[in-house]
Amino acid sequence: MSVAVMAHRKREKFVPGLVASLDRPAKGVWDQKNDRWDTGRRAMLAYESGATHHLVIQDDAVVCRNLVAGVERALTRVPAPHGTPTPLCLYAGRVKRFRSVVRRHVGSRRPSWLAMPSIYWGVGVVMPVQLISELIRWGDQHPEVANYDYRMGQWLRQQGVEVWYPWPSLVDHRHSPSLVEGRSSAASRHAHSFIGANASALSHRWNRGVVRIPHWKDDT
C-alpha cells in the first residue's frame, strides 16, 4: 500500500507530525487553487508503481500506531466480490444522524467492520489501485459535486462497490474546524468510535464480523 497526504497550506503545521506518525513514507500533495476535487484527485493518482492499494489521508488526521501495516493485514479479511477489491474508509463520524444509524444497526455488538454503499468521509480512504483511473475519469466529468469524498462515493454506489469501514475507526480528525464554509463545528468533527492514537492497528482483531448499514445521507 502506498500513501499520500492531501494537504492545504492553512494546515501546513499539521503535516510534519502526521507524516512522522505514519509507518510508511508518504507523498505530500498540496492544494494549488483551493479546490477539493483537484487536490483529492491528484492525491489519489499519486499511488506508487506496484502498489495494489493506495491510502489518501487528509492533513488534519490523527492516526493510530502501525496504521499502514495494520490496514495491510486487515485487507486480507476484506472480500473482493467478482474480482473487484473493496475500498476502505478509515473514519466514520459522529454526526447526529449517523449516531442513530449506528445505534439501530450495531447496537451492543462489537463487529470488526461496518459495510456501507458509499464513502461518506474523506479523512482516510484506501482505494484499490485498479479502480482509480476510472473513478477519476468519472469524477472529472461531475464538477457539480464539490466534495472529493462524496464524488468518489457516488461513483462507487453507481458501480455497486461496497465500502468497508474498520470499527472502531483507525483515524480521527484533529480538534480543528473544517476548511469548508458552513460545515459542522470542530466539536462534532470526530470519529464515532476511535481506536486511539496510542493503540496499534496490528493488535486489532479483524475477524469479529461485519454489520451492513444501508445508504444514508449526512444532512445534519
mmCIF file with all atom_site columns, all heavy atoms in Angstrom, residues 84-101:
data_model
loop_
_atom_site.group_PDB
_atom_site.id
_atom_site.type_symbol
_atom_site.label_atom_id
_atom_site.label_alt_id
_atom_site.label_comp_id
_atom_site.label_asym_id
_atom_site.label_entity_id
_atom_site.label_seq_id
_atom_site.pdbx_PDB_ins_code
_atom_site.Cartn_x
_atom_site.Cartn_y
_atom_site.Cartn_z
_atom_site.occupancy
_atom_site.B_iso_or_equiv
_atom_site.pdbx_formal_charge
_atom_site.auth_seq_id
_atom_site.auth_comp_id
_atom_site.auth_asym_id
_atom_site.auth_atom_id
_atom_site.pdbx_PDB_model_num
ATOM 1   N N   . THR A 1 84  ? -13.390 -7.626 -7.819 1.00 0.00 ? 84  THR A N   1
ATOM 2   C CA  . THR A 1 84  ? -13.197 -6.199 -7.554 1.00 0.00 ? 84  THR A CA  1
ATOM 3   C C   . THR A 1 84  ? -12.845 -5.990 -6.087 1.00 0.00 ? 84  THR A C   1
ATOM 4   O O   . THR A 1 84  ? -13.683 -6.227 -5.212 1.00 0.00 ? 84  THR A O   1
ATOM 5   C CB  . THR A 1 84  ? -14.474 -5.397 -7.886 1.00 0.00 ? 84  THR A CB  1
ATOM 6   O OG1 . THR A 1 84  ? -14.809 -5.599 -9.255 1.00 0.00 ? 84  THR A OG1 1
ATOM 7   C CG2 . THR A 1 84  ? -14.251 -3.908 -7.627 1.00 0.00 ? 84  THR A CG2 1
ATOM 8   N N   . PRO A 1 85  ? -11.610 -5.554 -5.763 1.00 0.00 ? 85  PRO A N   1
ATOM 9   C CA  . PRO A 1 85  ? -11.238 -5.336 -4.362 1.00 0.00 ? 85  PRO A CA  1
ATOM 10  C C   . PRO A 1 85  ? -12.121 -4.279 -3.711 1.00 0.00 ? 85  PRO A C   1
ATOM 11  O O   . PRO A 1 85  ? -12.638 -3.373 -4.376 1.00 0.00 ? 85  PRO A O   1
ATOM 12  C CB  . PRO A 1 85  ? -9.777  -4.866 -4.451 1.00 0.00 ? 85  PRO A CB  1
ATOM 13  C CG  . PRO A 1 85  ? -9.308  -5.312 -5.789 1.00 0.00 ? 85  PRO A CG  1
ATOM 14  C CD  . PRO A 1 85  ? -10.504 -5.275 -6.685 1.00 0.00 ? 85  PRO A CD  1
ATOM 15  N N   . THR A 1 86  ? -12.288 -4.383 -2.420 1.00 0.00 ? 86  THR A N   1
ATOM 16  C CA  . THR A 1 86  ? -13.166 -3.494 -1.667 1.00 0.00 ? 86  THR A CA  1
ATOM 17  C C   . THR A 1 86  ? -12.409 -2.281 -1.148 1.00 0.00 ? 86  THR A C   1
ATOM 18  O O   . THR A 1 86  ? -11.380 -2.430 -0.491 1.00 0.00 ? 86  THR A O   1
ATOM 19  C CB  . THR A 1 86  ? -13.781 -4.263 -0.476 1.00 0.00 ? 86  THR A CB  1
ATOM 20  O OG1 . THR A 1 86  ? -14.567 -5.345 -0.982 1.00 0.00 ? 86  THR A OG1 1
ATOM 21  C CG2 . THR A 1 86  ? -14.649 -3.364 0.379  1.00 0.00 ? 86  THR A CG2 1
ATOM 22  N N   . PRO A 1 87  ? -12.881 -1.057 -1.408 1.00 0.00 ? 87  PRO A N   1
ATOM 23  C CA  . PRO A 1 87  ? -12.273 0.132  -0.800 1.00 0.00 ? 87  PRO A CA  1
ATOM 24  C C   . PRO A 1 87  ? -12.548 0.168  0.699  1.00 0.00 ? 87  PRO A C   1
ATOM 25  O O   . PRO A 1 87  ? -13.550 -0.384 1.187  1.00 0.00 ? 87  PRO A O   1
ATOM 26  C CB  . PRO A 1 87  ? -12.978 1.296  -1.517 1.00 0.00 ? 87  PRO A CB  1
ATOM 27  C CG  . PRO A 1 87  ? -13.698 0.700  -2.678 1.00 0.00 ? 87  PRO A CG  1
ATOM 28  C CD  . PRO A 1 87  ? -13.992 -0.708 -2.311 1.00 0.00 ? 87  PRO A CD  1
ATOM 29  N N   . LEU A 1 88  ? -11.679 0.863  1.420  1.00 0.00 ? 88  LEU A N   1
ATOM 30  C CA  . LEU A 1 88  ? -11.876 1.085  2.852  1.00 0.00 ? 88  LEU A CA  1
ATOM 31  C C   . LEU A 1 88  ? -11.993 2.576  3.137  1.00 0.00 ? 88  LEU A C   1
ATOM 32  O O   . LEU A 1 88  ? -11.329 3.389  2.500  1.00 0.00 ? 88  LEU A O   1
ATOM 33  C CB  . LEU A 1 88  ? -10.697 0.541  3.669  1.00 0.00 ? 88  LEU A CB  1
ATOM 34  C CG  . LEU A 1 88  ? -10.277 -0.913 3.493  1.00 0.00 ? 88  LEU A CG  1
ATOM 35  C CD1 . LEU A 1 88  ? -9.160  -1.242 4.477  1.00 0.00 ? 88  LEU A CD1 1
ATOM 36  C CD2 . LEU A 1 88  ? -11.446 -1.861 3.641  1.00 0.00 ? 88  LEU A CD2 1
ATOM 37  N N   . CYS A 1 89  ? -12.831 2.923  4.090  1.00 0.00 ? 89  CYS A N   1
ATOM 38  C CA  . CYS A 1 89  ? -12.890 4.270  4.639  1.00 0.00 ? 89  CYS A CA  1
ATOM 39  C C   . CYS A 1 89  ? -12.528 4.133  6.111  1.00 0.00 ? 89  CYS A C   1
ATOM 40  O O   . CYS A 1 89  ? -13.216 3.438  6.860  1.00 0.00 ? 89  CYS A O   1
ATOM 41  C CB  . CYS A 1 89  ? -14.283 4.862  4.456  1.00 0.00 ? 89  CYS A CB  1
ATOM 42  S SG  . CYS A 1 89  ? -14.437 6.584  4.973  1.00 0.00 ? 89  CYS A SG  1
ATOM 43  N N   . LEU A 1 90  ? -11.439 4.758  6.532  1.00 0.00 ? 90  LEU A N   1
ATOM 44  C CA  . LEU A 1 90  ? -10.862 4.503  7.858  1.00 0.00 ? 90  LEU A CA  1
ATOM 45  C C   . LEU A 1 90  ? -11.487 5.336  8.959  1.00 0.00 ? 90  LEU A C   1
ATOM 46  O O   . LEU A 1 90  ? -11.059 5.254  10.107 1.00 0.00 ? 90  LEU A O   1
ATOM 47  C CB  . LEU A 1 90  ? -9.348  4.755  7.821  1.00 0.00 ? 90  LEU A CB  1
ATOM 48  C CG  . LEU A 1 90  ? -8.562  3.976  6.759  1.00 0.00 ? 90  LEU A CG  1
ATOM 49  C CD1 . LEU A 1 90  ? -7.072  4.249  6.911  1.00 0.00 ? 90  LEU A CD1 1
ATOM 50  C CD2 . LEU A 1 90  ? -8.855  2.487  6.827  1.00 0.00 ? 90  LEU A CD2 1
ATOM 51  N N   . TYR A 1 91  ? -12.526 6.107  8.629  1.00 0.00 ? 91  TYR A N   1
ATOM 52  C CA  . TYR A 1 91  ? -13.152 7.020  9.581  1.00 0.00 ? 91  TYR A CA  1
ATOM 53  C C   . TYR A 1 91  ? -14.662 6.990  9.392  1.00 0.00 ? 91  TYR A C   1
ATOM 54  O O   . TYR A 1 91  ? -15.153 7.033  8.265  1.00 0.00 ? 91  TYR A O   1
ATOM 55  C CB  . TYR A 1 91  ? -12.628 8.433  9.331  1.00 0.00 ? 91  TYR A CB  1
ATOM 56  C CG  . TYR A 1 91  ? -13.328 9.554  10.088 1.00 0.00 ? 91  TYR A CG  1
ATOM 57  C CD1 . TYR A 1 91  ? -12.809 10.035 11.287 1.00 0.00 ? 91  TYR A CD1 1
ATOM 58  C CD2 . TYR A 1 91  ? -14.474 10.154 9.581  1.00 0.00 ? 91  TYR A CD2 1
ATOM 59  C CE1 . TYR A 1 91  ? -13.434 11.080 11.969 1.00 0.00 ? 91  TYR A CE1 1
ATOM 60  C CE2 . TYR A 1 91  ? -15.103 11.200 10.253 1.00 0.00 ? 91  TYR A CE2 1
ATOM 61  C CZ  . TYR A 1 91  ? -14.569 11.652 11.447 1.00 0.00 ? 91  TYR A CZ  1
ATOM 62  O OH  . TYR A 1 91  ? -15.192 12.681 12.117 1.00 0.00 ? 91  TYR A OH  1
ATOM 63  N N   . ALA A 1 92  ? -15.393 6.903  10.501 1.00 0.00 ? 92  ALA A N   1
ATOM 64  C CA  . ALA A 1 92  ? -16.849 7.038  10.498 1.00 0.00 ? 92  ALA A CA  1
ATOM 65  C C   . ALA A 1 92  ? -17.212 8.075  11.549 1.00 0.00 ? 92  ALA A C   1
ATOM 66  O O   . ALA A 1 92  ? -16.895 7.906  12.735 1.00 0.00 ? 92  ALA A O   1
ATOM 67  C CB  . ALA A 1 92  ? -17.522 5.701  10.801 1.00 0.00 ? 92  ALA A CB  1
ATOM 68  N N   . GLY A 1 93  ? -17.858 9.155  11.138 1.00 0.00 ? 93  GLY A N   1
ATOM 69  C CA  . GLY A 1 93  ? -18.073 10.299 12.013 1.00 0.00 ? 93  GLY A CA  1
ATOM 70  C C   . GLY A 1 93  ? -19.206 10.138 13.003 1.00 0.00 ? 93  GLY A C   1
ATOM 71  O O   . GLY A 1 93  ? -20.000 9.194  12.947 1.00 0.00 ? 93  GLY A O   1
ATOM 72  N N   . ARG A 1 94  ? -19.311 11.130 13.905 1.00 0.00 ? 94  ARG A N   1
ATOM 73  C CA  . ARG A 1 94  ? -20.298 11.080 14.972 1.00 0.00 ? 94  ARG A CA  1
ATOM 74  C C   . ARG A 1 94  ? -21.466 12.042 14.740 1.00 0.00 ? 94  ARG A C   1
ATOM 75  O O   . ARG A 1 94  ? -22.201 12.359 15.682 1.00 0.00 ? 94  ARG A O   1
ATOM 76  C CB  . ARG A 1 94  ? -19.658 11.412 16.314 1.00 0.00 ? 94  ARG A CB  1
ATOM 77  C CG  . ARG A 1 94  ? -19.138 12.834 16.439 1.00 0.00 ? 94  ARG A CG  1
ATOM 78  C CD  . ARG A 1 94  ? -18.842 13.233 17.875 1.00 0.00 ? 94  ARG A CD  1
ATOM 79  N NE  . ARG A 1 94  ? -17.733 12.493 18.437 1.00 0.00 ? 94  ARG A NE  1
ATOM 80  C CZ  . ARG A 1 94  ? -17.021 12.911 19.481 1.00 0.00 ? 94  ARG A CZ  1
ATOM 81  N NH1 . ARG A 1 94  ? -17.311 14.074 20.053 1.00 0.00 ? 94  ARG A NH1 1
ATOM 82  N NH2 . ARG A 1 94  ? -16.039 12.190 19.949 1.00 0.00 ? 94  ARG A NH2 1
ATOM 83  N N   . VAL A 1 95  ? -21.639 12.528 13.513 1.00 0.00 ? 95  VAL A N   1
ATOM 84  C CA  . VAL A 1 95  ? -22.754 13.437 13.255 1.00 0.00 ? 95  VAL A CA  1
ATOM 85  C C   . VAL A 1 95  ? -24.050 12.797 13.744 1.00 0.00 ? 95  VAL A C   1
ATOM 86  O O   . VAL A 1 95  ? -24.189 11.572 13.779 1.00 0.00 ? 95  VAL A O   1
ATOM 87  C CB  . VAL A 1 95  ? -22.849 13.790 11.762 1.00 0.00 ? 95  VAL A CB  1
ATOM 88  C CG1 . VAL A 1 95  ? -21.676 14.656 11.335 1.00 0.00 ? 95  VAL A CG1 1
ATOM 89  C CG2 . VAL A 1 95  ? -22.925 12.535 10.898 1.00 0.00 ? 95  VAL A CG2 1
ATOM 90  N N   . LYS A 1 96  ? -25.004 13.642 14.097 1.00 0.00 ? 96  LYS A N   1
ATOM 91  C CA  . LYS A 1 96  ? -26.193 13.191 14.825 1.00 0.00 ? 96  LYS A CA  1
ATOM 92  C C   . LYS A 1 96  ? -26.914 12.048 14.139 1.00 0.00 ? 96  LYS A C   1
ATOM 93  O O   . LYS A 1 96  ? -27.239 11.032 14.755 1.00 0.00 ? 96  LYS A O   1
ATOM 94  C CB  . LYS A 1 96  ? -27.131 14.368 15.041 1.00 0.00 ? 96  LYS A CB  1
ATOM 95  C CG  . LYS A 1 96  ? -28.354 14.020 15.880 1.00 0.00 ? 96  LYS A CG  1
ATOM 96  C CD  . LYS A 1 96  ? -29.207 15.250 16.102 1.00 0.00 ? 96  LYS A CD  1
ATOM 97  C CE  . LYS A 1 96  ? -30.434 14.906 16.944 1.00 0.00 ? 96  LYS A CE  1
ATOM 98  N NZ  . LYS A 1 96  ? -31.278 16.112 17.166 1.00 0.00 ? 96  LYS A NZ  1
ATOM 99  N N   . ARG A 1 97  ? -27.171 12.197 12.834 1.00 0.00 ? 97  ARG A N   1
ATOM 100 C CA  . ARG A 1 97  ? -27.937 11.168 12.146 1.00 0.00 ? 97  ARG A CA  1
ATOM 101 C C   . ARG A 1 97  ? -27.177 9.853  12.088 1.00 0.00 ? 97  ARG A C   1
ATOM 102 O O   . ARG A 1 97  ? -27.770 8.776  12.214 1.00 0.00 ? 97  ARG A O   1
ATOM 103 C CB  . ARG A 1 97  ? -28.304 11.640 10.738 1.00 0.00 ? 97  ARG A CB  1
ATOM 104 C CG  . ARG A 1 97  ? -29.221 10.653 10.026 1.00 0.00 ? 97  ARG A CG  1
ATOM 105 C CD  . ARG A 1 97  ? -29.725 11.207 8.725  1.00 0.00 ? 97  ARG A CD  1
ATOM 106 N NE  . ARG A 1 97  ? -30.563 10.218 8.066  1.00 0.00 ? 97  ARG A NE  1
ATOM 107 C CZ  . ARG A 1 97  ? -31.141 10.406 6.895  1.00 0.00 ? 97  ARG A CZ  1
ATOM 108 N NH1 . ARG A 1 97  ? -30.998 11.547 6.262  1.00 0.00 ? 97  ARG A NH1 1
ATOM 109 N NH2 . ARG A 1 97  ? -31.868 9.456  6.346  1.00 0.00 ? 97  ARG A NH2 1
ATOM 110 N N   . PHE A 1 98  ? -25.857 9.906  11.918 1.00 0.00 ? 98  PHE A N   1
ATOM 111 C CA  . PHE A 1 98  ? -25.084 8.673  11.877 1.00 0.00 ? 98  PHE A CA  1
ATOM 112 C C   . PHE A 1 98  ? -25.111 7.968  13.225 1.00 0.00 ? 98  PHE A C   1
ATOM 113 O O   . PHE A 1 98  ? -25.136 6.734  13.278 1.00 0.00 ? 98  PHE A O   1
ATOM 114 C CB  . PHE A 1 98  ? -23.641 8.949  11.450 1.00 0.00 ? 98  PHE A CB  1
ATOM 115 C CG  . PHE A 1 98  ? -22.819 7.704  11.312 1.00 0.00 ? 98  PHE A CG  1
ATOM 116 C CD1 . PHE A 1 98  ? -23.084 6.790  10.300 1.00 0.00 ? 98  PHE A CD1 1
ATOM 117 C CD2 . PHE A 1 98  ? -21.799 7.417  12.207 1.00 0.00 ? 98  PHE A CD2 1
ATOM 118 C CE1 . PHE A 1 98  ? -22.332 5.630  10.171 1.00 0.00 ? 98  PHE A CE1 1
ATOM 119 C CE2 . PHE A 1 98  ? -21.048 6.257  12.082 1.00 0.00 ? 98  PHE A CE2 1
ATOM 120 C CZ  . PHE A 1 98  ? -21.318 5.364  11.065 1.00 0.00 ? 98  PHE A CZ  1
ATOM 121 N N   . ARG A 1 99  ? -25.099 8.723  14.327 1.00 0.00 ? 99  ARG A N   1
ATOM 122 C CA  . ARG A 1 99  ? -25.186 8.096  15.648 1.00 0.00 ? 99  ARG A CA  1
ATOM 123 C C   . ARG A 1 99  ? -26.438 7.240  15.757 1.00 0.00 ? 99  ARG A C   1
ATOM 124 O O   . ARG A 1 99  ? -26.401 6.126  16.288 1.00 0.00 ? 99  ARG A O   1
ATOM 125 C CB  . ARG A 1 99  ? -25.153 9.164  16.736 1.00 0.00 ? 99  ARG A CB  1
ATOM 126 C CG  . ARG A 1 99  ? -23.820 9.833  16.908 1.00 0.00 ? 99  ARG A CG  1
ATOM 127 C CD  . ARG A 1 99  ? -23.705 10.517 18.270 1.00 0.00 ? 99  ARG A CD  1
ATOM 128 N NE  . ARG A 1 99  ? -24.680 11.583 18.441 1.00 0.00 ? 99  ARG A NE  1
ATOM 129 C CZ  . ARG A 1 99  ? -24.459 12.858 18.131 1.00 0.00 ? 99  ARG A CZ  1
ATOM 130 N NH1 . ARG A 1 99  ? -23.296 13.209 17.594 1.00 0.00 ? 99  ARG A NH1 1
ATOM 131 N NH2 . ARG A 1 99  ? -25.380 13.783 18.345 1.00 0.00 ? 99  ARG A NH2 1
ATOM 132 N N   . SER A 1 100 ? -27.566 7.751  15.261 1.00 0.00 ? 100 SER A N   1
ATOM 133 C CA  . SER A 1 100 ? -28.807 6.972  15.336 1.00 0.00 ? 100 SER A CA  1
ATOM 134 C C   . SER A 1 100 ? -28.750 5.751  14.425 1.00 0.00 ? 100 SER A C   1
ATOM 135 O O   . SER A 1 100 ? -29.273 4.684  14.768 1.00 0.00 ? 100 SER A O   1
ATOM 136 C CB  . SER A 1 100 ? -30.008 7.853  14.977 1.00 0.00 ? 100 SER A CB  1
ATOM 137 O OG  . SER A 1 100 ? -29.959 8.268  13.620 1.00 0.00 ? 100 SER A OG  1
ATOM 138 N N   . VAL A 1 101 ? -28.097 5.881  13.276 1.00 0.00 ? 101 VAL A N   1
ATOM 139 C CA  . VAL A 1 101 ? -27.942 4.748  12.367 1.00 0.00 ? 101 VAL A CA  1
ATOM 140 C C   . VAL A 1 101 ? -27.124 3.645  13.032 1.00 0.00 ? 101 VAL A C   1
ATOM 141 O O   . VAL A 1 101 ? -27.473 2.455  12.955 1.00 0.00 ? 101 VAL A O   1
ATOM 142 C CB  . VAL A 1 101 ? -27.288 5.203  11.048 1.00 0.00 ? 101 VAL A CB  1
ATOM 143 C CG1 . VAL A 1 101 ? -26.871 4.009  10.195 1.00 0.00 ? 101 VAL A CG1 1
ATOM 144 C CG2 . VAL A 1 101 ? -28.225 6.104  10.257 1.00 0.00 ? 101 VAL A CG2 1
#
